[in-house]
Amino acid sequence: MNATSAIARGPLIIVSGPSGSGKTTLIKRLLAMTMRPLRHSVSATTRAPRPGETDGVEYWFWDRPRFEAAIAAGELLEHAVVHGRDYYGTLKSEVEPYRARGFGVILDIDVQGAEQVRAKIPDHVSVFITAADPEDYARRLRSRGADSPAAIARRMETARAELARAGEYRHQIRNDDLETAAAELAAVIDQAFETGVQ
Ligand code: 5GP
């Protein structure tokens, strides 16, 4: 490509995986190691911020009226109620403007949201992250210390339902070892940048 050619549109990378699969840490590791122009889309949610989370960084923390107004106004590419409780959704403004400028955009979204995006945007890459041992999920959630026992039970239930849908994704990565999994994810993303999306 030379300086006068148009910028190639960046790939859209959908990453799903149960709470406790280490998905968030894995994406952070990937973003730290990659040479690619990549952006983690900041979702909107009605769940309360955890200690240390900042509005506009991890999420846009909205109340329900604000979220429902965004749905009505067509501002969201997808949205879902996750863990039977809170709204989560991807803002259109977090995706297309960046792709048009050549950025790869990573969506860390649940299986319901992924299904909606797959149907709307054919040129996507989809990756499902698992941990080797489902018991790891519970251990990681407990050690994070951010969720009540009831919230952990809800998250475990979602995790079981999500794991059953791993086959709907083009790629599956087992996150036994962070560095290995990050390298595998980087390879999938490299391929998407180089050959167009698959
Ligand atoms: P957490 O509350 O632990 O940050 O996220 C809970 C779940 O919501 C995760 O599985 C995450 O992938 C999912 N999630 C985060 N943002 C979105 C979004 O914009 N849309 C959908 N459908 N799911 C999301």
Side-chain angles (χ1 to χ4, degrees):
M1 185 182 293
N2 61 45
T4 55
S5 54
I7 297 173
R9 206 153 154 264
L12 180 67
I13 304 123
I14 303 170
V15 181
S16 298
S19 301
S21 61
K23 180 183 47 167
T24 307
T25 310
L26 176 58
I27 292 172
K28 279 199 186 125
R29 180 71 193 108
L30 169 85
L31 291 171
M33 72 194 261
T34 186
M35 304 295 285
R36 300 285 184 183
L38 275 180
R39 174 168 164 97
H40 184 193
S41 156
V42 181
S43 294
T45 183
T46 58
R47 88 148 160 74
R50 299 191 184 115
E53 288 184 332
T54 308
D55 190 40
V57 178
E58 286 82 9
Y59 287 101
W60 299 104
F61 293 102
W62 288 353
D63 58 19
R64 287 184 89 87
R66 171 77 184 88
F67 200 104
E68 283 164 2
I71 298 171
E75 291 173 29
L76 301 177
L77 177 61
E78 59 76 32
H79 68 277
V81 173
V82 181
H83 306 309
R85 199 184 163 99
D86 288 302
Y87 278 126
Y88 290 78
T90 303
L91 287 154
K92 289 178 183 170
S93 59
E94 290 280 336
V95 179
E96 206 35 61
Y98 292 95
R99 294 189 71 192
R101 283 158 46 199
F103 280 84
V105 176
I106 299 183
L107 304 185
D108 169 354
I109 59 177
D110 86 320
V111 291
Q112 307 168 79
E115 188 173 5
Q116 295 169 47
V117 176
R118 285 199 308 261
K120 280 189 191 160
I121 304 185
D123 64 330
H124 63 262
V125 188
S126 65
V127 184
F128 194 91
I129 311 295
T130 61
D133 173 7
E135 265 309 299
D136 275 357
Y137 296 139
R139 265 195 296 278
R140 285 195 211 196
L141 287 174
R142 280 192 289 267
S143 68
R144 186 166 72 178
D147 303 286
S148 67
I152 290 177
R154 229 175 10 247
R155 280 166 182 273
M156 288 300 296
E157 202 174 300
T158 309
R160 272 189 285 275
E162 293 213 331
L163 274 172
R165 300 184 61 177
E168 294 173 18
Y169 291 69
R170 167 86 197 223
H171 303 271
Q172 287 86 25
I173 294 178
R174 253 171 70 153
N175 186 17
D176 301 342
D177 172 72
L178 180 62
E179 295 307 316
T180 309
E184 282 179 38
L185 184 55
V188 167
I189 290 172
D190 277 346
Q191 194 185 24
F193 269 100
E194 277 159 23
T195 63
V197 171
Q198 51 179 293

